[in-house]
Amino acid sequence: MSQEYVMIPTSVREVKALGWDWIDVIIFTGDAFVDHPSFGTAVIARYLQKAGYRVAVVPQPNWRDDLRDFRKLGAPRLYFGVNSGAMDSMVNHYTASKRLRSDDAYTPGGKAGQRPDYAVTVYTRILKQLYPEIPVVIGGIEASLRRLSHYDYWKDALMPSVLVSSGADWLCYGMGERPMLELTRAIESGRNMSDMRKIPQLAFFMTGTCRSRDVLMLHSYEECLKSKRAFAENFHQIETHANMLHPSVIIEPVGRGYVRVNPPYPPATQEEMDSFWDLPFTKQPHPRYKGKHIPAYEMIKFSVNTHRGCFGGCNFCTIAAHQGKFIQSRSEESIVDEVAKLRSLPGFAGNISDLGAPTANMYGMQGRNRELCSVCRRKSCLFPSPCPNMDRSHARLLSLYSKVAAVKGIRHAYIGSGIRYDLFLDENGYVDRTSYPYLKELVLEHTSGRLKVAPEHTEEGVLKLMAKPSFRLFMRLRKEFDRIVAESGSHCSLVPYFISGHPGCTMKDMERLACNPALKGLYMDQVQDFTPTPMTASSVMFYTGLNPHTMEKVFVERNIDRKREQKSFFFKKK
């Protein structure tokens, strides 16, 4: 069997069965190990394995005993990798009311308590204590979104970069295939440290003062502790550069040194995207979990991801900060090939649970003139109004749907991911000739009873602070949706999602939302209390009381009981 088809080992017994006398990279993760492309640990492990490296994974190590899980595989030849799992560990553990959750979807049986709070920091400190000479590379959602100073809702405090709190040597942010492979090769070859520090999409801490020119110099962490305005100004700069095609190196002084964040790799090409999925995933939980139920896996096991990135720019969302604004799409051939392989999976009955991505209907979309995109500094291509350079045609997506439907054995390809209806509608109607065919096919062929959309609120002032379109657009969507359903005789319903407690939202705003006549007759139980998460404009508003884009003051409901009341008010009215 060739190297690329070797099982990823998770124990000493499995390593011995492979006949390995060394391991190149050992990854510690807060999730159960599922060999599926929806789980970042599996993607990085398989990608490095394809390049010829021996990779092992230690899932959900016990950090409360004698640390035997951290010792069992010994020291890797090159480095340790660390992530908290597919979610920030604090979001995984706590509700918006800061109550401890009773379950964990990424653990067998949904059992809670199998990872620590701030898992990246806890795991890294243990590894640095046990193996001080071995480099530790942190990544994934938790590390990526905490790469610079950030507000932590659960401590209600401004925290420095996770590089500082954890002591990690390197931080890989965003989607990490390319930077992790280059870093792995650099460590293996013993490349000069100054050369390694130029690798894109990496961050690291250095002592002393930064002498580099042509960098974006932020206010120091200590300045931000003293001034909320300084922190808001920092975020605006970080966010702007995160959405540029050619951003600068970012420098943030902290303590006795500074954090340096290198610009990311350019958006992946279609060929590169295909290569990330052309890996020998089993699409199954690791055999160690035989007979055990992992809720998060059950939700995505028959899903197919079509692209990465999102140019919607919602202020409460972290997708662009992690995956980027520019859409990176797989080829139709790559997607269809993955769809065909689903037929060999145990339990597959011909129904794809989600043929989508962060925003399902952004597949294949990009600016008509890429030169304009290369100098653009807009955070969103849709807010406050759609960019005229953005090609919003759904022709390529409709073609993909047709090709997937033609695969033998496929009965339904549902769209479980969110959609942006401002990609095919404006207040005057459909935006181009592909818009109506797309909505009609979405409703009649790809919706399992309920089409879930996210207007998020009804009130214009709150929507502007969310960077979401006017509620009038949802009203237009409902009109078109109802017409399609009536003409077809189908029984599909429209389900809107809303957020309570967002900065700018008052109890009066929630009352107006709950009583809005445009929502009459709709199924309405989808209200989520706003949770401030690191590296979002909304969390900056929550902490500072300032809109980081304008520096204007914003009303913020910080009292947990009143936040809870905002959410419950909605249900009382209903």
Side-chain angles (χ1 to χ4, degrees):
M1 181 180 289
S2 66
Q3 173 72 21
E4 65 177 332
Y5 293 103
V6 171
M7 180 183 75
I8 304 292
T10 64
S11 67
V12 174
R13 178 178 59 81
E14 291 164 4
V15 170
K16 288 181 177 178
L18 292 171
W20 291 0
D21 50 3
W22 80 84
I23 304 171
D24 293 314
V25 178
I26 302 175
I27 301 175
F28 284 79
T29 178
D31 286 346
F33 181 50
V34 179
D35 191 14
H36 190 288
S38 292
F39 293 81
T41 300
V43 173
I44 298 302
R46 287 293 184 191
Y47 197 69
L48 293 179
Q49 186 188 70
K50 184 177 181 180
Y53 294 101
R54 294 179 175 182
V55 184
V57 172
V58 180
Q60 301 189 313
N62 190 335
W63 73 100
R64 292 171 289 201
D65 61 3
D66 60 1
L67 306 181
R68 67 187 66 182
D69 283 346
F70 292 87
R71 305 175 191 268
K72 65 182 183 182
L73 298 182
R77 185 171 70 95
L78 300 178
Y79 63 85
F80 289 109
V82 169
N83 67 65
S84 70
M87 294 175 65
D88 183 285
S89 57
M90 301 306 288
V91 177
N92 179 280
H93 283 173
Y94 299 95
T95 68
S97 299
K98 299 186 179 181
R99 291 177 174 173
L100 192 64
R101 298 186 192 274
S102 59
D103 57 3
D104 182 344
Y106 295 87
T107 300
K111 184 179 180 182
Q114 300 306 295
R115 81 189 80 211
D117 287 356
Y118 307 102
V120 166
T121 295
V122 172
Y123 293 163
T124 301
R125 286 178 175 176
I126 290 172
L127 291 169
K128 295 304 288 184
Q129 173 190 340
L130 296 177
Y131 306 98
E133 302 304 316
I134 305 296
V136 176
V137 185
I138 58 177
I141 291 288
E142 184 167 308
S144 182
L145 302 182
R146 295 173 183 263
R147 57 189 182 261
L148 291 160
S149 296
H150 55 279
Y151 172 64
D152 185 90
Y153 174 62
W154 300 273
K155 288 186 176 179
D156 191 25
L158 197 65
M159 304 291 291
S161 165
V162 68
L163 282 162
V164 175
S165 58
S166 69
D169 299 275
W170 302 94
L171 185 157
C172 174
Y173 67 93
M175 311 306 279
E177 294 93 344
R178 291 173 291 172
M180 287 304 296
L181 180 56
E182 184 170 352
L183 178 62
T184 304
R185 287 171 171 167
I187 292 174
E188 180 181 39
S189 63
R191 269 168 63 180
N192 182 282
M193 184 59 72
S194 63
D195 187 38
M196 291 175 63
R197 287 174 177 154
K198 297 176 184 177
I199 296 174
Q201 219 164 308
L202 295 183
F204 47 89
F205 175 80
M206 293 187 68
T207 57
T209 303
C210 177
R211 305 294 182 186
S212 301
R213 297 181 180 181
D214 300 321
V215 299
L216 172 61
M217 184 67 69
L218 301 176
H219 298 296
S220 70
Y221 168 66
E222 288 75 16
E223 288 179 84
C224 293
L225 284 175
K226 296 175 183 177
S227 168
K228 290 184 176 180
R229 184 181 180 92
F231 175 61
E233 290 173 349
N234 269 12
F235 177 81
H236 181 57
Q237 293 271 36
I238 294 164
E239 182 182 55
T240 298
H241 279 250
N243 289 294
M244 291 168 56
L245 198 55
H246 304 293
S248 302
V249 169
I250 296 176
I251 300 294
E252 184 183 59
V254 51
R256 56 189 177 85
Y258 59 92
V259 171
R260 171 177 167 132
V261 180
N262 289 340
Y265 274 82
T269 65
Q270 180 174 283
E271 292 72 24
E272 287 172 328
M273 285 291 289
D274 288 353
S275 75
F276 303 155
W277 271 264
D278 184 24
L279 299 169
F281 299 107
T282 64
K283 286 206 164 187
Q284 300 280 310
H286 190 275
R288 66 188 286 151
Y289 306 116
K290 186 176 182 180
K292 296 180 180 179
H293 176 85
I294 302 174
Y297 165 71
E298 297 298 330
M299 289 189 290
I300 57 85
K301 63 182 179 180
F302 300 137
S303 67
V304 175
N305 195 292
T306 59
H307 62 279
R308 289 176 177 172
C310 179
F311 52 76
C314 300
N315 280 339
F316 49 81
C317 183
T318 61
I319 292 169
H322 187 67
Q323 295 194 12
K325 179 178 77 172
F326 298 94
I327 302 303
Q328 303 152 77
S329 300
R330 299 169 63 188
S331 70
E332 288 87 342
E333 292 74 21
S334 172
I335 295 167
V336 168
D337 182 60
E338 183 180 354
V339 166
K341 290 177 180 177
L342 289 176
R343 296 173 301 185
S344 64
L345 291 179
F348 183 67
N351 298 315
I352 300 171
S353 60
D354 185 17
L355 183 65
T359 301
N361 59 325
M362 287 184 181
Y363 177 74
M365 292 188 179
Q366 60 181 4
R368 294 182 177 90
N369 184 341
R370 295 291 283 178
E371 290 184 7
L372 291 179
C373 294
S374 70
V375 296
C376 179
R377 297 173 70 90
R378 283 183 59 157
K379 171 191 174 182
S380 171
C381 303
L382 294 175
F383 183 88
S385 61
C387 174
N389 187 46
M390 175 55 65
D391 183 359
R392 290 185 280 170
S393 170
H394 287 69
R396 185 175 174 188
L397 187 57
L398 287 168
S399 174
L400 173 66
Y401 290 166
S402 176
K403 291 176 181 178
V404 169
V407 176
K408 185 178 180 180
I410 299 302
R411 297 171 58 196
H412 299 286
Y414 295 117
I415 311 301
S417 304
I419 63 159
R420 288 287 299 229
Y421 46 84
D422 47 356
L423 285 172
F424 54 83
L425 279 179
D426 59 27
E427 292 182 25
N428 297 316
Y430 295 106
V431 301
D432 68 14
R433 62 180 180 80
T434 68
S435 298
Y436 172 72
Y438 169 74
L439 179 58
K440 183 177 181 181
E441 178 162 342
L442 174 70
V443 173
L444 301 183
E445 303 296 335
H446 305 288
T447 301
S448 180
R450 291 175 177 169
L451 176 62
K452 299 175 182 179
V453 295
E456 308 296 9
H457 218 285
T458 60
E459 304 310 295
E460 295 298 313
V462 182
L463 288 167
K464 286 180 180 177
L465 290 172
M466 293 177 168
K468 294 288 289 187
S470 169
F471 186 68
R472 293 190 298 272
L473 195 58
F474 172 80
M475 295 166 65
R476 181 76 195 202
L477 172 68
R478 183 176 185 186
K479 179 180 178 181
E480 301 298 338
F481 176 90
D482 288 346
R483 179 181 296 138
I484 290 171
V485 170
E487 289 175 352
S488 66
S490 70
H491 300 286
C492 187
S493 57
L494 191 64
V495 181
Y497 279 60
F498 296 101
I499 294 178
S500 63
H502 187 276
C505 182
T506 65
M507 193 66 69
K508 196 68 177 177
D509 289 319
M510 287 305 295
E511 180 179 3
R512 285 192 283 262
L513 187 161
C515 298
N516 193 300
L519 299 175
K520 185 177 180 180
L522 293 181
Y523 179 77
M524 300 259 293
D525 70 344
Q526 305 295 332
V527 177
Q528 180 180 353
D529 189 11
F530 169 68
T531 302
T533 53
M535 212 167 180
T536 67
S538 297
S539 68
V540 174
M541 291 182 209
F542 185 89
Y543 171 65
T544 66
L546 298 170
N547 182 338
H549 307 129
T550 65
M551 294 301 156
E552 296 175 346
K553 290 186 177 180
V554 176
F555 166 77
V556 178
E557 183 56 82
R558 294 188 181 87
N559 182 280
I560 287 181
D561 290 333
R562 287 197 290 271
K563 281 176 95 275
R564 191 181 299 123
E565 189 179 352
Q566 277 201 24
K567 181 178 180 179
S568 64
F569 181 90
F570 175 87
F571 293 108
K572 289 176 184 176
K573 284 290 182 182
K574 290 295 146 188

